[in-house]
Amino acid sequence: MHANRRNTARAVLSTALIASQAVPGFANHVIDLSGDGWTLSSTNSSISVPAKLPGQAHLDLYAAQVIGDPYYGLNDFNLRWIAWSNWTYTSDPIQGLQGNASSTWLRFDGLDTFTSISFCNEHVAATNNQFRQYWFDVSDILQACTDQHPVLSIEFGSAPNIINAIATKPDQRTWPDGIQIPFEFDNRQWVRKEGSDFGWDWGPAFAPAGPWKPVYVVQLEQQDVHVRNSVVDIYRKGQLNNLPPDQTQPWVLNASMDFFGTLPEGVSFVYTLLDAERNELAQGELENVNTTNVSITGSTIIPSDMVELWWPVGLGKQSLYHIIVDVLKESVSFASIEKRVGFRTIIVNSGPIRTDQLARGIAPGDNWHFEVNGHEFYAKGSNFIPPDTFWTRVDKDRISQLFDSVVDGRQNMLRVWSTGAYSPDFMYDLADEYGILLWSEFEFGDAMYPVDPDFLNNVREEAVYQVRRVNHHPSLAFWAGGNEMENLILFNYVAKSAPNKLDFYIGEYEALFLNVLTPAVFENSKSISYQPSSTSNGYLKLDHSRAVPIVPRYMNLTEGSIYGETDYYNYDSTQSFNVSGYPVGRFSNEFGFHSMPSIQSWRQAVHPNDLHFNSSVIMLRDHHPPSGSLNTSNFDKAAIGQANFTSWIYATQIFQADFYKSQIQHYRRGSGMPERQLGCLYWQLEDQWQAPTWAGIEYDGRWKYTAKDIYKNVIIAPHQNDSTDDQLEVYVTSDLWSSTTGRVNMTWYDWSGIPQNIPTATSIDVTVDPLNTSRVYQTSLDSSLSGHDRNNLVLIMDVTTEGKLPNDETAQTFNHRNWYHPTPLKDARLVDPGLKVTHNDETKKFTVEATTGVAVWTWLDYPEGVVATFDDNAFVLRKGETREVGYRVKKDTTSGNWIEGVKVGSLWDNTTP
Ligand SMILES: *[C@@H]1O[C@H](CO)[C@@H](O)[C@H](O)[C@H]1NC(C)=O
Ligand SMILES: *[C@@H]1O[C@H](CO)[C@@H](O)[C@H](O)[C@H]1NC(C)=O
Ligand SMILES: *[C@@H]1O[C@H](CO)[C@@H](O)[C@H](O)[C@H]1NC(C)=O
Ligand SMILES: *[C@@H]1O[C@H](CO)[C@@H](O)[C@H](O)[C@H]1NC(C)=O
Ligand SMILES: *[C@@H]1O[C@H](CO)[C@@H](O)[C@H](O)[C@H]1NC(C)=O
Ligand SMILES: *[C@@H]1O[C@H](CO)[C@@H](O)[C@H](O)[C@H]1NC(C)=O
Ligand SMILES: *[C@@H]1O[C@H](CO)[C@@H](O)[C@H](O)[C@H]1NC(C)=O
């Protein structure tokens, strides 16, 4: 870049920035049709109500009081008629159109889903994909239109009706029984619409319809373009997808704009890099510029030392920058985009275990872990599902509240499950700021899909749009093709239902997940890894010189080798704490068990008369019977009694938390075992409505305390294969990137809190290497516990170490406490621990004390009308011990009075009627 050019560009750019804010001229004339000013009507016009855009019919009907709260009672069933009807959104007459424009376009960022669009009473187009952006030239229609203020009308056909009609066309293809997992409405595989809209095992089935994203009218002059989408890709020079890049290379910035309209000849393409405070760091022309009639692309090099790295939360700072890209004609910018970006590399390394790894004791097979900026790290997190059936009421505040909980819960990664919807831009923006990595997926799952050319083209358009839309976000961690496609659908369901057609279905699977989706990622981004399915055995081969670079491994496994990721579900509660039944793998992307939401959440959704076990309203909200939390036999067997409905709820939540703790400590210990386990994401972060599910956070944000404690950096944990195994071991596991050193204390007590004379080496020195585990204790229970009543014993263990967080030079102290009981909890001879709670108005902390015994699953609970999270909950207290507990208030309608309603309980209170 020559100095004089840089100066020109800078001068021009400041003009351009001002121009794009106000002054007409080259700027597009854009009318945003969002907001009021719409009418929603049923096709036969028996219902007609004011509507909003973005909108979904159910919410507009609710706002107009045509229906009640869709989430109340049995409305999941009662409101099905809405899904079976067609709905039309009609705009008010559109003001502000210019008569002198050279062309006029409609741009739709999301239509859910089957539409017929008309403008000035003329048919424009039909659409059939919720996840695509659509744009249509309506210049001719406008020219012929006699209304000065034409009307835009969008008819939404009933998705359940239409997919049933598609599925039952004469000669239509079918699939063998047992391959497709249906929920409330059948045939979801026939439409590109959020799969969980048709029901899922954690959510209701409303199949909503409506213009769920903004709609614009765009008017252009003759030599003018409108940028409808763009991609910014930042990667290390020479980087290839799925492979560890050379971290010493400079950054490549590749930018591309997708437009409609006509790009004039002789344009230049320039970029400006700004820091977070908008100080300019660099500016210049992009090189290797390629233009087509729909896009313009160019790239440049950014020196490594010009920028700081972006890191996930807990691993360093979230440094962010702005990149502005302009298309200039005669020194004036007429097309401009701005993206906030971060400089980082993130890959999924699923390459073969190397000889140096074998030499370190790592089991053969393939890797499967994330590397950020060249570093392995432990991914701690959960699975994100659509936080509401109605996306148009999910706003930035809702997601920030959830992300606060994610970070408070010590999580650094969310797997954004498909078969929901692609995450909105504001969600990625927030994740960039919070440092939460988003494992993203194309919206397919738990079914085989059509592979006719129309369907595949539709998917291609969708995937390319989505990949380009979100690629610049440093929080984007991964693209996976779909949910549970390989190990579950192909090699379990197809293999069982149609074993002699397995190859045929593998072929169909590859047509979509390899041949369409791989290029959608690799041709638009070099920075992101792709894998065709979440939960798979990874790839046999990755060769970027091949047309389809990935060769999946499928079931070509070698005994003793480890491949891919694992998931684990087992609803036989007698097996829940059988550690030897848990998977031993590189990465666990799903595992879980149901629990009930709190009584406070139930009250939001059901009538008080329904708050009992046999209420059909309660029963019908469990969409995963019979293994769900309403299967009382699970809990009779497992552990915990029930005094009444509320203590039943508590029991299910404790059982869930105990099961998650048991698995997470097993997976984390695996970081130092031959499996070199480097991540666990439990199922599922949050609820979509008030119901018994796997969620750790209820619909309004209330916590169940699923995993926060066991996601601390340094943890101590017992390990016993199952409750009948004589060997008890204790491990200290650390996910820090440097060694940590300290001490462990362990003491056996009876439940009344009296220390027992059982040798444990009360004080043990411990050092844990980076991302590793150390065994600190091992004993034969038969010998060490002989003469003791095992039902009256609890081992309490504490660890305190000194160490440093990654990318942080400050020495810190890390504490963790855990406990172990040698028999199933239901047999424990608990005593009343005499819990007391007080609130200190000055320090804004609660103090909890156990006065007469050991308290386990000590649980602070707060009344309705508030959403608050305790810094610590579900903990264990020795007799005579106190714990100070801070809290964060996220929503309060009680003027602070909730504090008086805070109660403390523990396992004892809830097993004693
Ligand atoms: C009109 O549509 C509504 C909603 O689909 C339906 O409930 C009603 O029966 C229909 N009325 C007539 C006359 O078809
Ligand atoms: C087009 O018409 C609008 C008013 O409708 C006016 O503001 C604008 O300057 C006109 N543009 C041109 C290029 O004539
Ligand atoms: C509903 O919409 C579909 C698709 O646009 C159409 O085929 C059907 O005729 C419509 N039904 C009614 C009752 O208007
Ligand atoms: C433009 O196209 C050429 C030839 O296909 C290619 O080498 C170059 O990398 C492209 N530029 C960008 C920025 O993609
Ligand atoms: C199975 O994997 C081995 C390498 O591990 C490879 O040589 C062989 O070709 C594979 N078999 C099939 C059927 O893909
Ligand atoms: C271990 O026990 C000793 C003696 O009771 C105490 O001083 C120390 O603080 C304890 N350490 C931990 C990590 O609990
Ligand atoms: C359920 O039992 C607990 C004590 O076990 C008590 O605190 C609570 O009030 C009871 N709830 C109802 C609804 O009876």
Side-chain angles (χ1 to χ4, degrees), residues 320-322 338-342 429-430 432-433 472-474:
L320 293 168
Y321 295 85
H322 300 272
E338 178 171 337
K339 303 258 182 186
R340 196 182 55 184
V341 299
D429 277 331
L430 288 168
D432 295 343
E433 290 163 19
H472 60 283
H473 292 283

Side-chain angles (χ1 to χ4, degrees), residues 540 551-553 556-558 563:
L540 199 54
V551 181
R553 175 175 296 282
N556 186 353
L557 311 176
T558 302
Y563 309 96

Side-chain angles (χ1 to χ4, degrees), residues 643-647 909-910 912-913:
N644 59 30
F645 191 67
T646 45
S647 57
D909 304 83
N910 282 274
T912 316

Side-chain angles (χ1 to χ4, degrees), residues 178-183 185 188-189 200 445-448 484 488-489 493:
I179 291 188
Q180 314 294 36
I181 307 183
F183 292 93
F185 294 103
R188 65 184 166 84
Q189 68 274 17
W200 212 266
D446 296 332
M448 292 299 295
E484 299 179 324
L488 186 72
I489 295 296
Y493 291 7

